[in-house]
Amino acid sequence: MIGVQLRYAFCLYPNGPQRSALARAFGCARVVFNDALRARETARAEGVPFPKIGDLSKLLITEAKKTEERAWLGEVSAVVLQQSLRDLDTAYRNFFNGLKGKRPRVGAPRFKSRKDNRQAVRFTANAR
């Protein structure tokens, strides 16, 4: 039997507190994505292997929450931050597969901008 996966799209109209919570989630996900991209770009420039997603998660989420300047990452669900790292990993995989000819070419992952209106986060079933 073939498993069927369902995906739903919802249109949300958040009130004031919900809007600020979503803005916090968008900002934290963007910061983690950009930090991970910077770590991988630094590794590439130094000629060392890319850090794995588990190492990035430990460094940029778990350890960063313990520091004073990034303690605010603890205000959002860790699932959102993990998904942001997975999104970067997928972006790199698509980029390299495009170079190998396994899929259409796409550009290298780019930093996310605060001023860009296309903000997205993904929640899994166990996200709070």
Side-chain angles (χ1 to χ4, degrees):
M1 183 170 168
I2 298 174
V4 177
Q5 289 187 345
L6 298 176
R7 180 175 294 198
Y8 297 99
F10 296 98
C11 190
L12 302 174
Y13 300 98
N15 60 22
Q18 292 168 336
R19 190 171 287 156
S20 66
L22 282 173
R24 239 188 336 269
F26 291 142
C28 290
R30 184 187 69 248
V31 166
V32 168
F33 183 93
N34 287 344
D35 286 349
L37 181 56
R38 192 173 299 110
R40 287 196 165 178
E41 289 294 316
T42 303
R44 184 184 61 78
E46 294 173 356
V48 296
F50 272 176
K52 300 213 179 335
I53 194 168
D55 299 333
L56 288 174
S57 173
K58 187 174 184 181
L59 177 71
L60 300 176
I61 298 173
T62 309
E63 296 299 322
K65 285 180 185 179
K66 296 175 185 174
T67 65
E68 194 173 312
E69 56 270 0
R70 293 286 167 103
W72 43 267
L73 286 175
E75 296 175 6
V76 299
S77 173
V79 173
V80 171
L81 306 179
Q82 294 288 340
Q83 291 293 89
S84 186
L85 288 178
R86 283 193 199 96
D87 291 342
L88 177 67
D89 206 42
T90 301
Y92 267 110
R93 195 174 318 114
N94 291 342
F95 171 64
F96 289 126
N97 285 342
L99 292 178
K100 294 176 188 173
K102 293 182 180 178
R103 61 170 287 132
R105 279 195 162 203
V106 292
R110 295 185 305 206
F111 290 100
K112 292 188 177 186
S113 170
R114 173 186 283 177
K115 296 174 181 158
D116 191 355
N117 288 330
R118 298 170 300 160
Q119 297 180 348
V121 292
R122 289 187 301 133
F123 294 93
T124 59
N126 59 351
R128 59 180 167 95

